[in-house]
Amino acid sequence: METDLWILLAGWLVATLRSATPLLFVTLGETLTQRTGVINLGVEGEMLAGACFGFAVAVTTGSPWLGLAAGALAGGTLSLLHAGLVLGARANQIGSGIAVWMIALGTTSYVGRGFVGQKVTPLPQLVGPGAGDGLLGVLFRQLTAPAPLAFLAVVLAAWWLANTRAGLAWRVAGESARVAAENGLRPTWIRLQAIVLGGLLSGLGGAVLSVDYTQTWAQEITKGRGLIAVGLVIVARWRPILVLPVCLMFGLAEVAVLRVQAAGVEASSYLIATAPYAAVLIVLVVGHRSARRSRTMPADLRSIFS
């Protein structure tokens, strides 16, 4: 009986972690980008590009690791377009992000046609069968490397942003580009770095989604996760460490929806599938006013969120 309980609990934990991992990478990337004073709605497109090209490379080469690297590179490359429009041409950040998203949607729909239904080599599990029957043993036997890497990335980003000179420079650039420049910093260069880093992490999150989590490719496979990430940044108060609980909340809601559908509950599957997004929307609406007043919101973002 106790063993069955461990297995049940481990199953929920594994499912939640695997569901949340792609979103963790994307939300962390957008959090770091917004901390420098730039919002990027294009992360939806960057995640989609990462999922498409990451899956394509993984199928073609037979290496899921190369697929993850290719996905990150695809997201980072696409983020350069947003950086060029926003930092170079001084385009509207919202409009630029939507343009990047639409370009990615069209490109991946065309490129990904030949990979629908293809199989990808799965990533190896963290440990082998001899790990034991306890909670951790069962957990690690079912998890792959991206989950702990996402957790480690969040912790390192939170420490770096709060305790290093470069992290301070990024925070200053987010509060005021003018003040940053007056103090000898280069806010444009800092924001370029943040946008590209956000793109790399978004692309990696997309690749984890297709190569590791679903192990398949389908058109618009991200289903709005990139846009959800933008909202979760607000819920997390622009603090990388809070990215963990808010993404786990979404992952748990998504797992609960899948379990409800598997249980044969008589309700519209389309309606049930909206539950994770509705949960995020409710939290976002409730916390929006306090988030705007929060001292953690970069000052240069306030005009966008007003």
Side-chain angles (χ1 to χ4, degrees), residues 243-272:
V243 167
L244 278 174
V246 297
C247 288
L248 289 174
M249 174 197 70
F250 180 87
L252 180 60
E254 188 171 56
V255 169
V257 164
L258 294 175
R259 298 297 170 93
V260 167
Q261 290 177 326
V265 174
E266 295 184 3
S268 169
S269 59
Y270 299 103
L271 182 61
I272 295 175

PDB file of all heavy atoms in Angstrom, residues 243-272:
ATOM      1  N   VAL A 243       9.841  32.165 -10.595  1.00  0.00           N
ATOM      2  CA  VAL A 243       9.453  31.479 -11.830  1.00  0.00           C
ATOM      3  C   VAL A 243       9.144  30.008 -11.543  1.00  0.00           C
ATOM      4  O   VAL A 243       8.260  29.411 -12.164  1.00  0.00           O
ATOM      5  CB  VAL A 243      10.575  31.610 -12.880  1.00  0.00           C
ATOM      6  CG1 VAL A 243      10.363  30.652 -14.046  1.00  0.00           C
ATOM      7  CG2 VAL A 243      10.632  33.053 -13.391  1.00  0.00           C
ATOM      8  N   LEU A 244       9.866  29.429 -10.592  1.00  0.00           N
ATOM      9  CA  LEU A 244       9.665  28.017 -10.258  1.00  0.00           C
ATOM     10  C   LEU A 244       8.231  27.710  -9.825  1.00  0.00           C
ATOM     11  O   LEU A 244       7.566  26.868 -10.448  1.00  0.00           O
ATOM     12  CB  LEU A 244      10.647  27.589  -9.158  1.00  0.00           C
ATOM     13  CG  LEU A 244      12.060  27.221  -9.597  1.00  0.00           C
ATOM     14  CD1 LEU A 244      12.939  26.959  -8.379  1.00  0.00           C
ATOM     15  CD2 LEU A 244      12.024  26.001 -10.496  1.00  0.00           C
ATOM     16  N   PRO A 245       7.715  28.354  -8.773  1.00  0.00           N
ATOM     17  CA  PRO A 245       6.364  27.993  -8.333  1.00  0.00           C
ATOM     18  C   PRO A 245       5.273  28.314  -9.343  1.00  0.00           C
ATOM     19  O   PRO A 245       4.311  27.546  -9.475  1.00  0.00           O
ATOM     20  CB  PRO A 245       6.187  28.792  -7.029  1.00  0.00           C
ATOM     21  CG  PRO A 245       7.185  29.896  -7.092  1.00  0.00           C
ATOM     22  CD  PRO A 245       8.335  29.338  -7.859  1.00  0.00           C
ATOM     23  N   VAL A 246       5.409  29.425 -10.077  1.00  0.00           N
ATOM     24  CA  VAL A 246       4.329  29.769 -11.006  1.00  0.00           C
ATOM     25  C   VAL A 246       4.299  28.804 -12.194  1.00  0.00           C
ATOM     26  O   VAL A 246       3.221  28.458 -12.697  1.00  0.00           O
ATOM     27  CB  VAL A 246       4.441  31.236 -11.483  1.00  0.00           C
ATOM     28  CG1 VAL A 246       4.300  32.193 -10.323  1.00  0.00           C
ATOM     29  CG2 VAL A 246       5.712  31.493 -12.253  1.00  0.00           C
ATOM     30  N   CYS A 247       5.456  28.348 -12.642  1.00  0.00           N
ATOM     31  CA  CYS A 247       5.478  27.379 -13.743  1.00  0.00           C
ATOM     32  C   CYS A 247       5.005  26.003 -13.266  1.00  0.00           C
ATOM     33  O   CYS A 247       4.329  25.279 -14.009  1.00  0.00           O
ATOM     34  CB  CYS A 247       6.881  27.277 -14.340  1.00  0.00           C
ATOM     35  SG  CYS A 247       7.360  28.720 -15.315  1.00  0.00           S
ATOM     36  N   LEU A 248       5.373  25.644 -12.042  1.00  0.00           N
ATOM     37  CA  LEU A 248       4.889  24.379 -11.490  1.00  0.00           C
ATOM     38  C   LEU A 248       3.365  24.405 -11.324  1.00  0.00           C
ATOM     39  O   LEU A 248       2.704  23.372 -11.483  1.00  0.00           O
ATOM     40  CB  LEU A 248       5.572  24.097 -10.157  1.00  0.00           C
ATOM     41  CG  LEU A 248       7.054  23.716 -10.246  1.00  0.00           C
ATOM     42  CD1 LEU A 248       7.658  23.597  -8.852  1.00  0.00           C
ATOM     43  CD2 LEU A 248       7.239  22.419 -11.012  1.00  0.00           C
ATOM     44  N   MET A 249       2.813  25.591 -11.022  1.00  0.00           N
ATOM     45  CA  MET A 249       1.363  25.721 -10.931  1.00  0.00           C
ATOM     46  C   MET A 249       0.715  25.391 -12.267  1.00  0.00           C
ATOM     47  O   MET A 249      -0.268  24.639 -12.323  1.00  0.00           O
ATOM     48  CB  MET A 249       0.997  27.146 -10.511  1.00  0.00           C
ATOM     49  CG  MET A 249      -0.495  27.445 -10.516  1.00  0.00           C
ATOM     50  SD  MET A 249      -0.857  29.220 -10.487  1.00  0.00           S
ATOM     51  CE  MET A 249      -0.329  29.715 -12.128  1.00  0.00           C
ATOM     52  N   PHE A 250       1.279  25.929 -13.346  1.00  0.00           N
ATOM     53  CA  PHE A 250       0.739  25.644 -14.673  1.00  0.00           C
ATOM     54  C   PHE A 250       0.903  24.165 -14.998  1.00  0.00           C
ATOM     55  O   PHE A 250      -0.010  23.522 -15.530  1.00  0.00           O
ATOM     56  CB  PHE A 250       1.436  26.495 -15.729  1.00  0.00           C
ATOM     57  CG  PHE A 250       0.934  26.254 -17.131  1.00  0.00           C
ATOM     58  CD1 PHE A 250      -0.155  26.944 -17.617  1.00  0.00           C
ATOM     59  CD2 PHE A 250       1.553  25.319 -17.954  1.00  0.00           C
ATOM     60  CE1 PHE A 250      -0.629  26.715 -18.906  1.00  0.00           C
ATOM     61  CE2 PHE A 250       1.095  25.078 -19.240  1.00  0.00           C
ATOM     62  CZ  PHE A 250       0.002  25.782 -19.713  1.00  0.00           C
ATOM     63  N   GLY A 251       2.080  23.611 -14.691  1.00  0.00           N
ATOM     64  CA  GLY A 251       2.314  22.201 -14.972  1.00  0.00           C
ATOM     65  C   GLY A 251       1.344  21.300 -14.234  1.00  0.00           C
ATOM     66  O   GLY A 251       0.819  20.334 -14.804  1.00  0.00           O
ATOM     67  N   LEU A 252       1.092  21.607 -12.972  1.00  0.00           N
ATOM     68  CA  LEU A 252       0.155  20.808 -12.180  1.00  0.00           C
ATOM     69  C   LEU A 252      -1.252  20.911 -12.747  1.00  0.00           C
ATOM     70  O   LEU A 252      -1.986  19.900 -12.817  1.00  0.00           O
ATOM     71  CB  LEU A 252       0.177  21.276 -10.723  1.00  0.00           C
ATOM     72  CG  LEU A 252      -0.750  20.533  -9.749  1.00  0.00           C
ATOM     73  CD1 LEU A 252      -0.381  19.056  -9.698  1.00  0.00           C
ATOM     74  CD2 LEU A 252      -0.677  21.163  -8.359  1.00  0.00           C
ATOM     75  N   ALA A 253      -1.649  22.114 -13.155  1.00  0.00           N
ATOM     76  CA  ALA A 253      -2.986  22.285 -13.743  1.00  0.00           C
ATOM     77  C   ALA A 253      -3.119  21.497 -15.037  1.00  0.00           C
ATOM     78  O   ALA A 253      -4.158  20.874 -15.295  1.00  0.00           O
ATOM     79  CB  ALA A 253      -3.250  23.771 -13.992  1.00  0.00           C
ATOM     80  N   GLU A 254      -2.069  21.484 -15.844  1.00  0.00           N
ATOM     81  CA  GLU A 254      -2.113  20.742 -17.104  1.00  0.00           C
ATOM     82  C   GLU A 254      -2.194  19.239 -16.856  1.00  0.00           C
ATOM     83  O   GLU A 254      -2.937  18.522 -17.528  1.00  0.00           O
ATOM     84  CB  GLU A 254      -0.887  21.072 -17.947  1.00  0.00           C
ATOM     85  CG  GLU A 254      -0.937  20.496 -19.345  1.00  0.00           C
ATOM     86  CD  GLU A 254       0.184  21.011 -20.226  1.00  0.00           C
ATOM     87  OE1 GLU A 254       1.357  20.852 -19.830  1.00  0.00           O
ATOM     88  OE2 GLU A 254      -0.100  21.560 -21.301  1.00  0.00           O
ATOM     89  N   VAL A 255      -1.439  18.757 -15.878  1.00  0.00           N
ATOM     90  CA  VAL A 255      -1.479  17.333 -15.535  1.00  0.00           C
ATOM     91  C   VAL A 255      -2.862  16.955 -15.012  1.00  0.00           C
ATOM     92  O   VAL A 255      -3.407  15.898 -15.365  1.00  0.00           O
ATOM     93  CB  VAL A 255      -0.397  16.994 -14.487  1.00  0.00           C
ATOM     94  CG1 VAL A 255      -0.593  15.591 -13.933  1.00  0.00           C
ATOM     95  CG2 VAL A 255       0.982  17.126 -15.102  1.00  0.00           C
ATOM     96  N   ALA A 256      -3.432  17.811 -14.178  1.00  0.00           N
ATOM     97  CA  ALA A 256      -4.769  17.537 -13.644  1.00  0.00           C
ATOM     98  C   ALA A 256      -5.789  17.428 -14.771  1.00  0.00           C
ATOM     99  O   ALA A 256      -6.681  16.561 -14.740  1.00  0.00           O
ATOM    100  CB  ALA A 256      -5.164  18.637 -12.660  1.00  0.00           C
ATOM    101  N   VAL A 257      -5.654  18.289 -15.775  1.00  0.00           N
ATOM    102  CA  VAL A 257      -6.565  18.242 -16.921  1.00  0.00           C
ATOM    103  C   VAL A 257      -6.428  16.907 -17.657  1.00  0.00           C
ATOM    104  O   VAL A 257      -7.425  16.272 -18.024  1.00  0.00           O
ATOM    105  CB  VAL A 257      -6.278  19.416 -17.876  1.00  0.00           C
ATOM    106  CG1 VAL A 257      -6.927  19.174 -19.236  1.00  0.00           C
ATOM    107  CG2 VAL A 257      -6.787  20.713 -17.289  1.00  0.00           C
ATOM    108  N   LEU A 258      -5.188  16.471 -17.874  1.00  0.00           N
ATOM    109  CA  LEU A 258      -4.963  15.200 -18.565  1.00  0.00           C
ATOM    110  C   LEU A 258      -5.530  14.032 -17.769  1.00  0.00           C
ATOM    111  O   LEU A 258      -6.118  13.102 -18.334  1.00  0.00           O
ATOM    112  CB  LEU A 258      -3.461  15.000 -18.806  1.00  0.00           C
ATOM    113  CG  LEU A 258      -2.796  15.988 -19.772  1.00  0.00           C
ATOM    114  CD1 LEU A 258      -1.295  15.751 -19.819  1.00  0.00           C
ATOM    115  CD2 LEU A 258      -3.386  15.867 -21.166  1.00  0.00           C
ATOM    116  N   ARG A 259      -5.373  14.066 -16.440  1.00  0.00           N
ATOM    117  CA  ARG A 259      -5.909  12.983 -15.607  1.00  0.00           C
ATOM    118  C   ARG A 259      -7.439  13.000 -15.623  1.00  0.00           C
ATOM    119  O   ARG A 259      -8.075  11.937 -15.608  1.00  0.00           O
ATOM    120  CB  ARG A 259      -5.386  13.126 -14.178  1.00  0.00           C
ATOM    121  CG  ARG A 259      -3.866  13.011 -14.061  1.00  0.00           C
ATOM    122  CD  ARG A 259      -3.361  11.657 -14.490  1.00  0.00           C
ATOM    123  NE  ARG A 259      -1.929  11.591 -14.601  1.00  0.00           N
ATOM    124  CZ  ARG A 259      -1.113  11.187 -13.632  1.00  0.00           C
ATOM    125  NH1 ARG A 259      -1.612  10.820 -12.457  1.00  0.00           N
ATOM    126  NH2 ARG A 259       0.190  11.147 -13.839  1.00  0.00           N
ATOM    127  N   VAL A 260      -8.033  14.183 -15.639  1.00  0.00           N
ATOM    128  CA  VAL A 260      -9.492  14.283 -15.696  1.00  0.00           C
ATOM    129  C   VAL A 260     -10.012  13.717 -17.017  1.00  0.00           C
ATOM    130  O   VAL A 260     -11.007  12.970 -17.050  1.00  0.00           O
ATOM    131  CB  VAL A 260      -9.944  15.755 -15.522  1.00  0.00           C
ATOM    132  CG1 VAL A 260     -11.422  15.915 -15.904  1.00  0.00           C
ATOM    133  CG2 VAL A 260      -9.728  16.207 -14.094  1.00  0.00           C
ATOM    134  N   GLN A 261      -9.329  14.049 -18.105  1.00  0.00           N
ATOM    135  CA  GLN A 261      -9.744  13.527 -19.407  1.00  0.00           C
ATOM    136  C   GLN A 261      -9.582  12.012 -19.468  1.00  0.00           C
ATOM    137  O   GLN A 261     -10.433  11.303 -20.018  1.00  0.00           O
ATOM    138  CB  GLN A 261      -8.925  14.189 -20.515  1.00  0.00           C
ATOM    139  CG  GLN A 261      -9.265  15.664 -20.729  1.00  0.00           C
ATOM    140  CD  GLN A 261      -8.392  16.312 -21.771  1.00  0.00           C
ATOM    141  OE1 GLN A 261      -7.209  15.975 -21.901  1.00  0.00           O
ATOM    142  NE2 GLN A 261      -8.936  17.255 -22.508  1.00  0.00           N
ATOM    143  N   ALA A 262      -8.478  11.507 -18.894  1.00  0.00           N
ATOM    144  CA  ALA A 262      -8.236  10.064 -18.892  1.00  0.00           C
ATOM    145  C   ALA A 262      -9.266   9.322 -18.045  1.00  0.00           C
ATOM    146  O   ALA A 262      -9.577   8.150 -18.302  1.00  0.00           O
ATOM    147  CB  ALA A 262      -6.830   9.768 -18.376  1.00  0.00           C
ATOM    148  N   ALA A 263      -9.806  10.011 -17.032  1.00  0.00           N
ATOM    149  CA  ALA A 263     -10.803   9.391 -16.159  1.00  0.00           C
ATOM    150  C   ALA A 263     -12.176   9.311 -16.807  1.00  0.00           C
ATOM    151  O   ALA A 263     -13.094   8.718 -16.247  1.00  0.00           O
ATOM    152  CB  ALA A 263     -10.896  10.168 -14.841  1.00  0.00           C
ATOM    153  N   GLY A 264     -12.316   9.920 -17.977  1.00  0.00           N
ATOM    154  CA  GLY A 264     -13.577   9.827 -18.708  1.00  0.00           C
ATOM    155  C   GLY A 264     -14.663  10.744 -18.204  1.00  0.00           C
ATOM    156  O   GLY A 264     -15.851  10.413 -18.316  1.00  0.00           O
ATOM    157  N   VAL A 265     -14.279  11.891 -17.635  1.00  0.00           N
ATOM    158  CA  VAL A 265     -15.283  12.849 -17.162  1.00  0.00           C
ATOM    159  C   VAL A 265     -16.096  13.360 -18.346  1.00  0.00           C
ATOM    160  O   VAL A 265     -15.544  13.725 -19.389  1.00  0.00           O
ATOM    161  CB  VAL A 265     -14.591  14.026 -16.437  1.00  0.00           C
ATOM    162  CG1 VAL A 265     -15.605  15.094 -16.062  1.00  0.00           C
ATOM    163  CG2 VAL A 265     -13.874  13.518 -15.199  1.00  0.00           C
ATOM    164  N   GLU A 266     -17.406  13.393 -18.175  1.00  0.00           N
ATOM    165  CA  GLU A 266     -18.290  13.811 -19.252  1.00  0.00           C
ATOM    166  C   GLU A 266     -18.361  15.333 -19.323  1.00  0.00           C
ATOM    167  O   GLU A 266     -19.165  15.973 -18.672  1.00  0.00           O
ATOM    168  CB  GLU A 266     -19.693  13.216 -19.055  1.00  0.00           C
ATOM    169  CG  GLU A 266     -19.734  11.695 -19.147  1.00  0.00           C
ATOM    170  CD  GLU A 266     -21.146  11.158 -19.039  1.00  0.00           C
ATOM    171  OE1 GLU A 266     -22.078  11.990 -18.949  1.00  0.00           O
ATOM    172  OE2 GLU A 266     -21.313   9.935 -19.053  1.00  0.00           O
ATOM    173  N   ALA A 267     -17.480  15.868 -20.117  1.00  0.00           N
ATOM    174  CA  ALA A 267     -17.442  17.317 -20.361  1.00  0.00           C
ATOM    175  C   ALA A 267     -16.669  17.537 -21.648  1.00  0.00           C
ATOM    176  O   ALA A 267     -15.915  16.661 -22.097  1.00  0.00           O
ATOM    177  CB  ALA A 267     -16.785  18.045 -19.197  1.00  0.00           C
ATOM    178  N   SER A 268     -16.851  18.683 -22.238  1.00  0.00           N
ATOM    179  CA  SER A 268     -16.159  18.985 -23.481  1.00  0.00           C
ATOM    180  C   SER A 268     -14.646  18.968 -23.256  1.00  0.00           C
ATOM    181  O   SER A 268     -14.136  19.626 -22.349  1.00  0.00           O
ATOM    182  CB  SER A 268     -16.589  20.362 -23.986  1.00  0.00           C
ATOM    183  OG  SER A 268     -15.749  20.780 -25.045  1.00  0.00           O
ATOM    184  N   SER A 269     -13.931  18.204 -24.076  1.00  0.00           N
ATOM    185  CA  SER A 269     -12.472  18.138 -23.943  1.00  0.00           C
ATOM    186  C   SER A 269     -11.839  19.490 -24.220  1.00  0.00           C
ATOM    187  O   SER A 269     -10.805  19.833 -23.641  1.00  0.00           O
ATOM    188  CB  SER A 269     -11.906  17.092 -24.912  1.00  0.00           C
ATOM    189  OG  SER A 269     -12.236  17.418 -26.260  1.00  0.00           O
ATOM    190  N   TYR A 270     -12.468  20.278 -25.092  1.00  0.00           N
ATOM    191  CA  TYR A 270     -11.941  21.605 -25.405  1.00  0.00           C
ATOM    192  C   TYR A 270     -12.087  22.532 -24.191  1.00  0.00           C
ATOM    193  O   TYR A 270     -11.189  23.319 -23.898  1.00  0.00           O
ATOM    194  CB  TYR A 270     -12.678  22.199 -26.615  1.00  0.00           C
ATOM    195  CG  TYR A 270     -12.527  21.382 -27.863  1.00  0.00           C
ATOM    196  CD1 TYR A 270     -13.565  20.572 -28.309  1.00  0.00           C
ATOM    197  CD2 TYR A 270     -11.335  21.405 -28.604  1.00  0.00           C
ATOM    198  CE1 TYR A 270     -13.436  19.813 -29.466  1.00  0.00           C
ATOM    199  CE2 TYR A 270     -11.201  20.646 -29.758  1.00  0.00           C
ATOM    200  CZ  TYR A 270     -12.250  19.851 -30.184  1.00  0.00           C
ATOM    201  OH  TYR A 270     -12.109  19.094 -31.310  1.00  0.00           O
ATOM    202  N   LEU A 271     -13.213  22.402 -23.505  1.00  0.00           N
ATOM    203  CA  LEU A 271     -13.440  23.226 -22.318  1.00  0.00           C
ATOM    204  C   LEU A 271     -12.473  22.837 -21.199  1.00  0.00           C
ATOM    205  O   LEU A 271     -11.886  23.694 -20.541  1.00  0.00           O
ATOM    206  CB  LEU A 271     -14.891  23.073 -21.850  1.00  0.00           C
ATOM    207  CG  LEU A 271     -15.301  23.915 -20.634  1.00  0.00           C
ATOM    208  CD1 LEU A 271     -15.152  25.395 -20.949  1.00  0.00           C
ATOM    209  CD2 LEU A 271     -16.744  23.593 -20.229  1.00  0.00           C
ATOM    210  N   ILE A 272     -12.300  21.535 -21.000  1.00  0.00           N
ATOM    211  CA  ILE A 272     -11.383  21.061 -19.959  1.00  0.00           C
ATOM    212  C   ILE A 272      -9.956  21.511 -20.245  1.00  0.00           C
ATOM    213  O   ILE A 272      -9.205  21.888 -19.344  1.00  0.00           O
ATOM    214  CB  ILE A 272     -11.457  19.523 -19.836  1.00  0.00           C
ATOM    215  CG1 ILE A 272     -12.837  19.096 -19.349  1.00  0.00           C
ATOM    216  CG2 ILE A 272     -10.390  18.999 -18.891  1.00  0.00           C
ATOM    217  CD1 ILE A 272     -13.035  17.590 -19.326  1.00  0.00           C
TER     218      ILE A 272
END
